[in-house]
Amino acid sequence: MQKKIKRILLKLSGEALSGKKDYGLDPEALSLMARCVKDACDHGAQVGVVIGGGNILRGAGSSVAADRVSADTMGMLATVINALALKDALDRIGIDARVLTALEMPKVAETMTKAHAVEHLNAGRVVIFGGGTGNPFFTTDTNAALRALEIEADLLIKATKVDGVYDKDPVKHKDAVFLSDIDYNEALSKNLGIMDATAIALCRENNLPIRVINIKVPGNVAKLVRGENIGSVVRRRN
Ligand code: UDP
């Protein structure tokens, strides 16, 4: 049993919102993600969420723009669309949520500042961080680590579609070995694909633990909030 978690930062990939489709937003997937967030709130946690944009546009790998900065900017805008969609899904189930974005667009969302974010969290509102870090050449994983540190979250939760971290892709390899407790350096040196290296390095430098869980299993986020030991943890082991 680990200690009860008061404030979490949940990182959802864009893919988590597209459900069974390869692309776009799926109402069922959105409502599933919203229920996970509600569950964590119902268990007393303050919840920040960072969503990716890969279901709409993966900037750096996109063939839409030749210029990396333009492509990444499109990717960041895609995360704002996802953030608004999740806010809408949360509104529908009675959860007050605000979108804060690093890219200034006051008619669409509040501009991200630590003070705003913490004020909302302390008032019991869910904060969804859109617009990535506001800078190209970064990822939403790095943004998740950054926002988790800014809001002083107890835990960064990386939502995936498998039960945690494996030594190789468990979907492709039947002999993949489950790794329950991993040191930051091991995650980096073995390139385990948990989050990108910048995100893991940021967590390592600030001693912020990362939990990797299967988001498709109902109740998993709430279990973490209650202090249960599920999924895999990436942390300082020595
Ligand atoms: N992006 C960026 N800066 C950031 C965050 C995201 O430029 O701080 C861009 C980048 O092009 C990335 C895209 O937005 O490919 C979508 O984010 P990501 O690939 O991290 O989404 P996910 O894979 O989690 O759906």
Side-chain angles (χ1 to χ4, degrees), residues 130-142:
T133 61
N135 301 290
F137 299 98
F138 286 93
T139 64
T140 47
D141 277 353
T142 301

Side-chain angles (χ1 to χ4, degrees), residues 61-184:
S62 159
S63 54
V64 177
D67 172 59
R68 168 80 189 253
V69 175
S70 302
D72 282 350
T73 305
M74 290 184 231
M76 287 187 276
L77 288 171
T79 72
V80 178
I81 296 175
N82 284 337
L84 293 171
L86 183 65
K87 175 187 164 25
D88 183 75
L90 286 165
D91 285 347
R92 283 165 195 258
I93 55 170
I95 296 290
D96 195 2
R98 300 294 155 90
V99 177
L100 266 59
T101 166
L103 298 169
E104 286 183 44
M105 45 179 94
K107 290 196 175 172
V108 174
E110 289 172 45
T111 300
M112 163 58 196
T113 65
K114 174 184 171 164
H116 268 131
V118 170
E119 198 181 308
H120 287 311
L121 290 167
N122 283 337
R125 292 187 278 268
V126 171
V127 174
I128 309 167
F129 299 98
T133 61
N135 301 290
F137 299 98
F138 286 93
T139 64
T140 47
D141 277 353
T142 301
N143 190 39
L146 174 65
R147 300 307 175 208
L149 291 168
E150 280 184 291
I151 64 168
E152 297 171 46
D154 299 305
L155 186 65
L156 169 54
I157 302 171
K158 165 84 178 183
T160 67
K161 29 182 200 186
V162 291
D163 288 338
V165 181
Y166 294 79
D167 64 342
K168 51 193 160 196
D169 185 349
V171 180
K172 290 185 193 145
H173 304 274
K174 283 208 171 110
D175 61 340
V177 177
F178 183 75
L179 306 170
S180 60
D181 199 341
I182 305 142
D183 187 83
Y184 297 112

